[in-house]
Amino acid sequence: MHVNDRNAEVQRGYEGGEYKHFVWWRGRKVNFVDHMRGRTRLRREWHDEAGAVCKVEMMNADNKPEVKRYIRRDGTCYMEEIVGPC
């Protein structure tokens, strides 16, 4: 089930009452999708103008990216960046 937020560009997804996805739209296209476990963000998938996933950020316990993976159109990773603490 998807629930629209007060902000028209935001949609929240629930499965069995559990918060699973946060979707941010750019017009009629997805900008990014946050995959959640409750209120904890596990990863963020960025989408390009054509709608394909182009970058995946794996989040740490502080809700900051700890690994960034850059994705080709065929779904394979061409570069991985480990993000150190700030």
Side-chain angles (χ1 to χ4, degrees), residues 10 30 42 64 66 82 86:
V10 171
V30 173
L42 303 175
K64 304 286 184 202
E66 62 183 0
I82 306 299
C86 298

Side-chain angles (χ1 to χ4, degrees), residues 6-18:
R6 285 173 291 214
N7 182 338
E9 296 179 324
V10 171
Q11 202 172 42
R12 298 174 196 279
Y14 295 85
E15 185 178 312
E18 186 178 345

Side-chain angles (χ1 to χ4, degrees), residues 5-72:
D5 201 82
R6 285 173 291 214
N7 182 338
E9 296 179 324
V10 171
Q11 202 172 42
R12 298 174 196 279
Y14 295 85
E15 185 178 312
E18 186 178 345
Y19 187 26
K20 292 287 191 173
H21 300 100
F22 175 90
V23 182
W24 192 280
W25 294 84
R26 182 187 325 122
R28 299 186 78 170
K29 298 179 181 181
V30 173
N31 189 27
F32 65 81
V33 177
D34 287 340
H35 297 267
M36 313 291 289
R37 181 179 299 131
R39 294 271 177 214
T40 303
R41 182 176 292 115
L42 303 175
R43 75 179 185 275
R44 175 173 283 175
E45 294 177 347
W46 291 90
H47 293 250
D48 64 17
E49 287 292 323
V53 174
C54 59
K55 180 171 70 170
V56 176
E57 296 175 328
M58 305 304 289
M59 303 301 194
N60 64 18
D62 294 324
N63 199 31
K64 304 286 184 202
E66 62 183 0
V67 177
K68 295 180 183 179
R69 293 185 181 119
Y70 298 88
I71 311 297
R72 289 186 185 99

